Amino acid sequence: MCASSEDFNRTVLMLGDLALYLDQPDVDQAFVGVIGPSLAASLPEPPPGLLPPGYDLNEGPEYPGSGW
C-alpha cells in the first residue's frame, strides 16, 4: 500500500473514532470542535481506484438548503 493510501485510511479511521467518541457521555465538545475540522482538512486526496474513473467530487445532486 502506498503512503498516500495509508494516510487516507488512517485519517478516515480517526474521523470514525471521533464519531464514536461523540456518542460517549461527557464528551469534550471543544476538543471535537477543533479536532473534527482539522482531521477533515488534513484528509488527503482519495487513493487511486477508490472512486470510479471520471468521478468529479465537485459535481452531484443539489442538497436541501444548498441551492442559493
Side-chain angles (χ1 to χ4, degrees):
M1 186 180 290
C2 69
S4 175
S5 294
E6 291 174 11
D7 288 345
F8 182 83
N9 292 338
R10 186 178 308 117
T11 305
V12 169
L13 287 173
M14 287 190 287
L15 283 167
D17 287 340
L18 187 63
L20 291 174
Y21 172 68
L22 280 170
D23 287 336
Q24 302 300 314
D26 299 325
V27 171
D28 183 349
Q29 293 294 333
F31 173 78
V32 174
V34 170
I35 298 301
S38 298
L39 281 174
S42 70
L43 195 61
E45 290 292 319
L50 184 66
L51 300 174
Y55 183 81
D56 186 355
L57 295 172
N58 297 313
E59 290 185 15
E62 289 289 327
Y63 293 98
S66 66
W68 294 97

